[in-house]
Amino acid sequence: MKAEADIDKHLLIEPTAATALAGGYAGDPFALLGPHDTPRGTVVRAYLPNALEVEVVDRNSGAVLAQLQPLQTPGLFAGLLAHAQPYRLRVRWPAGVQETEDPYSYPPLLGELDLHLFAEGKHYELGRVFGAQRLAIDGVHGTRFAVWAPNARRVSVVGNFNGWDGRRHAMRLRHTAGVWELFIPRLAAGETYKYEILGPHGVLPLKADPVALATEAPPRTASVVADETPFVWTDAAWLAGRAARQSPSAPMSIYEVHAASWMRDGGDDGRIYDWRELGQKLIPYVREMGFTHVELLPIMEHPFGGSWGYQPLSQFAPSGRFGTPADFAAFVDACHDAEIGVILDWVPAHFPTDAHGLVQFDGTPLYEHADPREGFHQDWNTLIYNLGRREVHGWMLASALHWLEHFHIDGLRVDAVASMLYRDYSRKAGEWVPNKYGGRENLESIDFLRHLNETVAARVPGAITIAEESTAWPGVSKPVREGGLGFNYKWNMGWMHDTLHYIERDPVYRRFDHDLMTFGLVYAYSENFVLPISHDEVVHGKGSLIGKMPGDRWQKFANLRAYLSFMWTHPGKKLLFMGCEFGQQREWSHDRQLDWFLLDDPLNRGAQLLLRDLNRLYARTPALHAHDCDAAGFRWIVGDDRANSVFAYLRLSEGSAPALVVCNMTPLARENYRVGVPQAGAWREAFNSDAADYGGSNVGNFGALVAQPVPSHGLPASLELRLPPLATLILLFQTEPH
């Protein structure tokens, strides 16, 4: 290094600034590095620790313009150009020579409108602006990084490309929004990176990018520069028609799937399939089974597999466990090609405390509340998003839109809505902070949910939102303009708990719980409901769905068949967790695949065939779905026969034949059971859960019956039925002779 007296004074920087660069606490590197005009010409400075030699070369010809001199501190170089012009740096490292444009030669890149919208919480396309964005500037390809960290003293991009040295690529602060940005020339897709942040109290653990578009597969935690190549979609026809497919009058039968454990390559201990491999197996299965949708447990990147995705850290990135973002897009496109909708579970309520994540992101509570009475979930040991902060509100909203717009997702099932609505959720007196009116309602989260649903409806026509909400909060699925939260559908948790409690009872005692099966109709039309038998019912010691059924093995499967048939004929859209359709016997584990070998057993295979036939009948019979969310579609015939544990009801749809459903929830077959019907004439037994093909005893009514003009149950005609044991019948009125 030359003595300071021998160096042109125009090249030098203040000693304190040089020390700050070397120490990694220079907050404004652009004030020191890159090109700067002086009376003598253009000074170019570069801070490249461990570099042996640095030259400035003409960007076009490669001719050497200046040899940079070492300055006050090791790694700091400077030289003088006659005038400003495009240049590159030719750097000789111990391992070889690198030639690249200077990151500090570029002006501010984020537009003022982008910054303004972000600060206002109204930037709906953060996934295309923040994070790592591949782009070209003046013909130079590279990656622009942008991250929100308003209380940081310095933020740097680090990765293999700079030896994870936070002094190399320190970013520029855009003060108006607290956003840091930097363009790194020639940095290609596939590079891993994190942010090194100097907070108010020191350097933080390296942070993953909150707007990363791709990530490493766990247990690695770095973000990845995503490939910018646009995916070529082929689903325009699907998108144009999906609003009708997801309307309250449409058949919706949802197969809930945990992608890592539905099926694996090699069995329980086998390799997790990537999206393309999974699609080749899952999509034909879902189509054959007659489901209209798949709902994926959260596939946003999450560090702990045992959270099943419900503790995500990357709200814009599909998990690296299953391949690239393009692989996921291909999966969605293939689902649409097979006429299957895709719903994602999405978690805007809380996030885990992993050091590389959002916790104290810039050294302060940024994404979370500072007060643990507002910001810490005691049940889940997670942190609660501060949705009252505009930037967090907007960031989360942009995440939802990213999945719906960028990945063509058909719907979001919003997790843990109840925990968002109430400030005292799962808290004792003194453990929560009232709202500004002294109440328990979380006004900020309510505002967010309403804004979310209004924005989705306006920007993504045909897409839906579904609330997992377990309380009696009114108007969850009513429009915001009518005072509701604006969701399209709500999970009917009360129906699930009541009916499961009933079906778990020994049939001898079911007469005492008869109302559990009828109570759901008291409020069935207060919301647009989805009836869920979800993963929550087959974990944490609850056993499997088949394991809940009483009796010997034959009775267990008969109960399962009768219950699923009751569910599929009850008002409301349907959701069933994977494995329940064929009687998975072991409690579900995220660490192994479903027990597909069970399909070698006739009872398991029969349950699967029953669910397939139920789906097909439900979809092609308007009476079973057209008024799922409308009281005009249901009429009780027998709702009070608790002595025999029999239920009978009509499903109705104008312009189509009615469907009669009769459930016998005891193991006794019942002869000559009279049921009133609205019309005399032929009624066909279209479905019998006791059919031999399903593993039943084949008791039934031989296909068709004729209703006689004998009044019963307040109706002008009636049928005398043979009710099979532990079974559900569906009879359809024949409008034409067969």
Side-chain angles (χ1 to χ4, degrees):
M1 182 185 306
K2 290 186 178 182
E4 190 169 323
D6 298 330
I7 301 174
D8 188 321
K9 65 179 183 179
H10 291 94
L11 303 183
L12 297 173
I13 61 176
E14 291 292 330
T16 55
T19 302
L21 278 173
Y25 55 89
D28 185 8
F30 280 84
L32 307 172
L33 305 177
H36 295 269
D37 291 333
T38 74
R40 294 277 310 278
T42 298
V43 172
V44 175
R45 298 191 195 92
Y47 183 61
L48 301 165
N50 301 317
L52 303 177
E53 184 179 89
V54 183
E55 294 176 329
V56 176
V57 303
D58 184 271
R59 183 179 293 180
N60 297 315
S61 69
V64 176
L65 302 175
Q67 178 80 39
L68 300 191
Q69 305 176 41
L71 295 187
Q72 302 111 304
T73 188
L76 181 60
F77 298 84
L80 189 65
L81 304 183
H83 54 83
Q85 65 184 98
Y87 66 89
R88 294 196 299 270
L89 299 176
R90 184 177 292 156
V91 186
R92 187 161 64 88
W93 302 97
V97 175
Q98 174 195 22
E99 194 164 304
T100 182
E101 290 70 22
D102 184 355
Y104 297 100
S105 66
Y106 292 91
L109 298 175
L110 285 173
E112 292 298 331
L113 180 59
D114 285 321
L115 296 175
H116 171 75
L117 290 174
F118 172 74
E120 290 296 311
K122 296 178 181 177
H123 201 311
Y124 298 147
E125 298 186 1
L126 291 182
R128 299 178 184 177
V129 176
F130 277 40
Q133 300 291 332
R134 292 277 299 140
L135 69 159
I137 300 176
D138 296 333
V140 177
H141 291 270
T143 303
R144 186 192 65 205
F145 295 87
V147 63
W148 179 53
N151 303 304
R153 294 158 58 196
R154 187 259 303 167
V155 180
S156 299
V157 187
V158 295
N160 291 327
F161 53 89
N162 62 13
W164 299 88
D165 187 341
R167 300 172 298 171
R168 285 277 309 278
H169 289 102
M171 306 174 78
R172 166 192 276 126
L173 175 61
R174 305 296 298 277
H175 292 272
T176 56
V179 174
W180 301 74
E181 67 165 16
L182 185 70
F183 177 68
I184 302 182
R186 306 194 183 203
L187 192 67
E191 288 278 0
T192 58
Y193 71 97
K194 285 187 177 180
Y195 295 116
E196 182 179 280
I197 299 176
L198 175 63
H201 308 294
V203 176
L204 304 171
L206 296 182
K207 295 289 189 177
D209 191 341
V211 193
L213 301 180
T215 64
E216 290 187 297
R220 294 171 298 190
T221 58
S223 304
V224 176
V225 178
D227 188 342
E228 76 280 15
T229 305
F231 183 79
V232 180
W233 293 92
T234 63
D235 62 350
W238 167 270
L239 296 180
R242 71 176 173 184
R245 295 173 181 267
Q246 302 189 138
S247 74
S249 62
M252 286 184 62
S253 175
I254 305 165
Y255 190 52
E256 189 186 37
V257 173
H258 179 254
S261 63
W262 181 75
M263 185 180 288
R264 293 187 172 190
D265 183 16
D268 282 357
D269 299 322
R271 177 181 62 85
I272 294 174
Y273 286 123
D274 65 30
W275 286 118
R276 295 175 190 269
E277 295 169 319
L278 183 65
Q280 291 171 2
K281 297 181 179 296
L282 176 62
I283 293 172
Y285 180 80
V286 171
R287 186 173 174 85
E288 168 66 18
M289 288 296 295
F291 289 100
T292 64
H293 290 71
V294 291
E295 180 174 317
L296 299 173
L297 273 60
I299 54 89
M300 302 80 189
E301 190 60 84
H302 50 283
F304 176 45
S307 76
W308 316 325
Y310 290 101
Q311 294 188 12
L313 277 179
S314 292
Q315 289 282 23
F316 292 75
S319 174
R321 294 169 173 84
F322 309 107
T324 66
D327 292 333
F328 179 62
F331 172 83
V332 176
D333 199 47
C335 284
H336 290 169
D337 183 61
E339 299 187 312
I340 296 167
V342 182
I343 299 168
L344 294 187
D345 281 9
W346 181 67
V347 188
H350 60 117
F351 61 93
T353 58
D354 299 69
H356 72 279
L358 300 177
V359 57
Q360 296 273 320
F361 186 78
D362 65 355
T364 68
L366 193 62
Y367 288 86
E368 69 271 36
H369 294 271
D371 189 334
R373 294 175 300 168
E374 296 182 279
F376 185 73
H377 260 309
Q378 301 171 105
D379 294 352
W380 305 316
N381 293 319
T382 53
L383 297 170
I384 299 170
Y385 287 110
N386 182 1
L387 293 172
R389 186 163 192 168
R390 290 193 303 267
E391 297 93 339
V392 179
H393 178 125
W395 173 82
M396 187 61 73
L397 183 56
S399 164
L401 293 171
H402 181 71
W403 298 103
L404 296 169
E405 294 179 338
H406 184 73
F407 286 111
H408 291 200
I409 295 302
D410 301 294
L412 297 176
R413 191 282 249 168
V414 183
D415 183 62
V417 170
S419 75
M420 300 175 69
L421 294 176
Y422 302 97
R423 287 176 163 265
D424 63 346
Y425 180 87
S426 195
R427 295 179 188 270
K428 299 175 184 177
E431 295 180 347
W432 58 283
V433 179
N435 64 35
K436 62 183 179 181
Y437 302 113
R440 59 195 288 255
E441 298 81 10
N442 191 323
L443 303 178
E444 294 80 10
S445 291
I446 294 166
D447 177 66
F448 168 77
L449 293 171
R450 287 173 169 163
H451 189 195
L452 165 73
N453 290 321
E454 286 188 311
T455 305
V456 168
R459 288 182 60 100
V460 198
I464 59 173
T465 58
I466 305 169
E468 188 227 2
E469 203 285 308
S470 56
T471 75
W473 186 280
V476 171
S477 60
K478 282 187 167 47
V480 173
R481 65 180 179 274
E482 297 177 14
L485 293 182
F487 286 92
N488 298 91
Y489 296 97
K490 172 183 171 174
W491 273 19
N492 194 336
M493 312 290 276
W495 175 91
M496 177 191 68
H497 289 300
D498 287 349
T499 59
L500 283 179
H501 180 76
Y502 176 91
I503 204 67
E504 288 171 358
R505 294 276 273 168
D506 187 299
V508 172
Y509 303 109
R510 284 178 178 166
R511 67 181 65 188
F512 304 113
D513 289 319
H514 193 79
D515 295 342
L516 292 176
M517 294 288 272
T518 61
F519 182 65
L521 270 301
V522 173
Y523 60 88
Y525 306 106
S526 61
E527 303 276 4
N528 294 341
F529 279 123
V530 172
L531 309 182
I533 298 297
S534 74
H535 65 280
D536 282 330
E537 305 316 306
V538 295
V539 292
H540 298 321
K542 295 179 184 178
S544 62
L545 184 59
I546 188 67
K548 301 178 193 300
M549 305 297 154
D552 59 25
R553 192 164 187 273
W554 188 92
Q555 289 181 335
K556 283 180 177 292
F557 274 91
N559 275 299
L560 176 68
R561 295 192 302 267
Y563 178 70
L564 291 176
S565 304
F566 170 78
M567 175 180 175
W568 252 250
T569 56
H570 190 285
K573 308 310 177 187
K574 327 301 177 190
L575 178 139
L576 189 67
F577 185 58
M578 63 183 199
C580 294
E581 77 276 15
F582 64 78
Q584 166 86 16
Q585 291 174 308
R586 289 192 293 179
E587 182 175 276
W588 171 63
S589 169
H590 65 277
D591 282 329
R592 62 172 183 256
Q593 71 171 6
L594 297 179
D595 292 337
W596 293 104
F597 61 86
L598 291 173
L599 290 174
D600 293 333
D601 185 287
L603 285 175
N604 295 94
R605 178 64 178 159
Q608 184 191 49
L609 291 173
L610 172 130
L611 209 286
R612 182 200 67 181
D613 290 351
L614 273 175
N615 272 332
R616 293 177 177 181
L617 183 62
Y618 169 68
R620 70 172 180 259
T621 307
L624 293 177
H625 64 253
H627 289 290
D628 268 337
C629 304
D630 180 352
F634 183 90
R635 176 172 176 173
W636 277 115
I637 299 175
V638 180
D640 56 358
D641 188 3
R642 64 180 62 245
N644 293 308
S645 297
V646 170
F647 307 87
Y649 45 90
L650 287 168
R651 295 301 308 277
L652 304 162
S653 175
E654 65 279 357
S656 62
L660 169 67
V661 182
V662 186
C663 307
N664 174 19
M665 293 301 188
T666 71
L668 301 175
R670 304 195 182 279
E671 303 290 339
N672 303 318
Y673 192 95
R674 185 170 293 278
V675 176
V677 291
Q679 294 166 277
W683 289 74
R684 178 173 60 90
E685 188 178 85
F687 177 86
N688 181 346
S689 71
D690 190 50
D693 285 350
Y694 305 145
S697 57
N698 224 28
V699 173
N701 296 276
F702 305 106
L705 303 92
V706 176
Q708 301 300 320
V710 178
S712 184
H713 301 106
L715 293 168
S718 59
L719 292 164
E720 281 195 354
L721 297 174
R722 190 182 191 201
L723 304 187
L726 295 173
T728 295
L729 302 176
I730 305 174
L731 296 99
L732 301 179
F733 182 71
Q734 299 298 106
T735 56
E736 297 179 2
H738 285 262

